[in-house]
């Protein structure tokens, strides 16, 4: 009887872990569109896309979330991604009303909001010693969901990229960047390098990667599990101030439905933080092997009182912001 109760307890524990994992997979859907948009923009126009920035705003003493900043030759674009479905009605005052089922939600002019965030980013760069020419930033709102229907689409400003327009973008079509100053920094590699250096060290949301190229933005809280292992392997070695990225390499031993067997180990490759711009290089990675049951506590973006508890074996990687 005791053995059966123990088996049932293990089963319930596994079910709970699976339910948390699949709940987080569902949560990741709203973040994946950010990375899909960023990756496509890099392929179309080159440059570097920075995702999930949290830029300090001196006026409000808070941080402003910026979905994507794409920096290319001579220009930069601040992009808000709205992966919404249902119906959107555009009002005469340019505000949006999102209609889904029986609910309605009114949003302010998203282009104006994106331009406000670009202004905050420009001030942040200025404080860090980079003076930009007027018009260096252009701003766009991307609507990548094919299940979105827009009423009065003629009222949309040109900076809104609807699904159809998004699908038609090609490398030779530079119309998306028509609002910025072409060639403003051409030949000024030092200035461009400074922008990349600052954005790569700017505050960002931590990034959790799950299997199947699924991502969640939020905040890494802590490790949990067997205390002596945590103290010996993780807490002393992996700190936000010194480590930028963790890659979890699963060992071949498998358990239920391909999950890591109980008591098995995982290899963790971690990249030491390098403020000179070479973070993540293979030569700077260090390696430790720990129990697969050690857990990561992670709080998704804008979740005040809830976090997920996931085994290391359920993860692919974890990126830590400064």
């Amino acid at each position: 009887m005791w053995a059966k109760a123990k088996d049932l307890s293990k089963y319930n524990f596994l079910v709970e872990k699976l339910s948390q994992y699949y709940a987080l997979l569902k949560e990741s859907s709203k973040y994946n569109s950010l990375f899909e948009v960023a990756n496509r923009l890099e392929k179309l126009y080159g440059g570097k896309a920075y995702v999930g920035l949290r830029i300090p705003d001196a006026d409000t003493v808070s941080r402003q979330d910026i979905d994507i900043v794409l920096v290319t030759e001579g220009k930069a674009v601040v992009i808000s991604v709205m992966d919404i479905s249902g119906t959107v009605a555009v009002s005469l005052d340019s505000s949006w009303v999102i209609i889904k089922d029986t609910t309605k939600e009114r949003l302010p002019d998203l282009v104006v909001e994106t331009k406000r965030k670009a202004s905050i980013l420009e001030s942040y760069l200025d404080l860090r010693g980079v003076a930009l020419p007027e018009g260096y930033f252009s701003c766009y709102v991307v609507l990548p969901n094919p299940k979105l229907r827009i009423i009065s689409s003629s009222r949309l400003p040109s900076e809104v990229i609807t699904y159809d327009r998004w699908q038609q973008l090609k490398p030779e079509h530079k119309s998306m960047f028509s609002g910025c100053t072409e060639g403003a920094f051409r030949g000024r590699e030092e200035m461009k390098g400074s922008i990349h250096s600052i954005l790569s060290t700017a505050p960002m949301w931590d990034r959790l990667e799950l299997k199947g190229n699924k991502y969640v933005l939020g905040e890494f809280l802590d490790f949990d599990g067997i205390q002596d292992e945590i103290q010996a392997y993780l807490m002393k070695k992996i700190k936000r101030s010194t480590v930028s990225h963790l890659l979890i390499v699963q060992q071949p031993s498998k358990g239920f439905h391909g999950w890591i067997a109980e008591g098995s180990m995982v290899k963790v490759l971690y990249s030491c933080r390098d403020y000179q711009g070479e973070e993540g290089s293979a030569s700077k990675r260090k390696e430790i092997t720990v129990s697969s049951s050690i857990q990561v506590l992670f709080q998704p973006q804008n979740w005040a009182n809830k976090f997920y508890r996931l085994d290391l074996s359920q993860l692919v990687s974890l990126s830590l912001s400064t």
Side-chain angles (χ1 to χ4, degrees):
M1 180 69 71
W2 181 83
K4 288 184 178 180
K6 185 177 180 181
D7 289 342
L8 181 60
S9 177
K10 285 185 177 180
Y11 174 79
N12 290 335
F13 182 66
L14 178 59
V15 169
E16 175 63 23
K17 289 203 296 184
L18 286 170
S19 63
Q20 285 238 338
Y21 180 75
Y22 288 119
L24 195 57
L25 277 179
K26 184 177 180 180
E27 179 72 19
S28 73
S29 61
K30 67 183 181 183
Y31 300 108
N32 292 332
S33 59
L34 294 183
F35 294 95
E36 290 170 0
V37 168
N39 290 338
R40 185 159 187 255
L41 288 174
E42 286 182 337
K43 290 178 180 178
L44 286 171
Y45 302 109
K48 169 69 175 176
Y50 298 90
V51 180
L53 290 164
R54 304 177 68 194
I55 301 302
D57 181 3
D59 292 335
T60 62
V61 195
S62 62
R63 293 188 179 186
Q64 297 293 319
D65 294 337
I66 297 179
D67 289 343
I68 300 171
V69 178
L70 178 69
V71 180
T72 63
E73 180 64 36
K75 60 183 78 75
V77 188
V78 176
I79 299 165
S80 296
V81 179
M82 294 292 294
D83 187 10
I84 52 178
S85 59
T87 301
V88 164
V90 183
S91 303
L92 289 173
D93 61 359
S94 297
S95 64
W96 296 19
V97 178
I98 302 176
I99 306 167
K100 195 168 185 179
D101 298 328
T102 58
T103 63
K104 292 184 179 181
E105 179 184 3
R106 182 176 291 275
L107 298 177
D109 188 323
L110 297 180
V111 173
V112 171
E113 180 67 12
T114 304
K115 290 180 178 179
R116 183 184 69 84
K117 292 182 178 181
S119 177
I120 292 171
L121 176 58
E122 187 171 357
S123 297
Y124 173 77
L125 290 170
D126 184 60
L127 287 173
R128 294 194 59 177
V130 178
L132 302 175
E134 184 177 354
Y136 175 67
F137 281 117
S138 56
C139 300
Y140 289 87
V141 176
V142 176
L143 308 175
N145 197 318
K147 296 181 180 180
L148 178 64
R149 175 173 171 261
I150 301 175
I151 300 175
S152 303
S153 59
S154 60
R155 295 176 183 168
L156 288 175
S158 60
E159 294 92 342
V160 176
I161 311 297
T162 60
Y163 173 77
D164 290 340
R165 186 179 169 193
W166 173 246
Q167 292 300 308
Q168 294 168 6
L169 286 179
K170 296 180 181 180
E172 62 270 21
H173 293 171
K174 301 299 183 181
S175 58
M176 184 173 179
F177 300 117
S178 59
C180 63
T181 305
E182 292 287 346
F185 285 150
R186 192 159 294 153
R188 298 175 64 179
E189 292 297 323
E190 182 179 350
M191 179 72 76
K192 187 177 70 172
S194 297
I195 293 173
H196 282 295
S197 177
I198 291 172
L199 290 181
S200 64
T201 57
M204 293 184 181
W205 288 102
D206 297 333
R207 181 185 308 175
L208 194 68
E209 182 184 1
L210 307 172
K211 298 173 184 177
N213 296 319
K214 305 295 184 182
Y215 297 93
V216 179
L217 297 180
E219 184 176 1
F220 163 73
L221 301 177
D222 208 345
F223 292 108
D224 196 11
I226 304 172
Q227 290 303 312
D228 57 348
E229 280 196 289
I230 294 175
Q231 293 299 325
Y233 295 113
L234 294 176
M235 299 296 284
K236 291 183 179 179
K237 294 181 179 294
I238 299 177
K239 299 178 181 179
R240 184 183 296 274
S241 60
T242 57
V243 171
S244 63
H245 188 77
L246 285 74
L247 179 66
I248 293 86
V249 181
Q250 300 184 2
Q251 304 297 323
S253 174
K254 300 289 183 180
F256 179 70
H257 281 197
W259 289 73
I260 298 296
E262 182 180 0
S264 62
M265 309 294 283
V266 294
K267 184 187 298 182
V268 178
L269 304 177
Y270 62 96
S271 301
C272 296
R273 196 174 294 285
D274 185 348
Y275 294 97
Q276 301 303 314
E278 298 181 4
E279 291 183 17
S281 63
S283 62
K284 294 183 178 294
R285 286 179 181 168
K286 297 184 179 181
E287 176 184 318
I288 55 175
T289 301
V290 296
S291 169
S292 64
S293 61
I294 288 180
Q295 296 179 324
V296 167
L297 309 185
F298 193 85
Q299 185 176 64
Q301 179 184 4
N302 300 326
W303 282 34
N305 301 309
K306 186 175 181 179
F307 62 87
Y308 284 103
R309 184 186 297 269
L310 296 166
D311 289 355
L312 281 176
S313 60
Q314 296 174 291
L315 310 181
V316 174
S317 68
L318 172 64
S319 298
L320 301 176
S321 175
T322 51

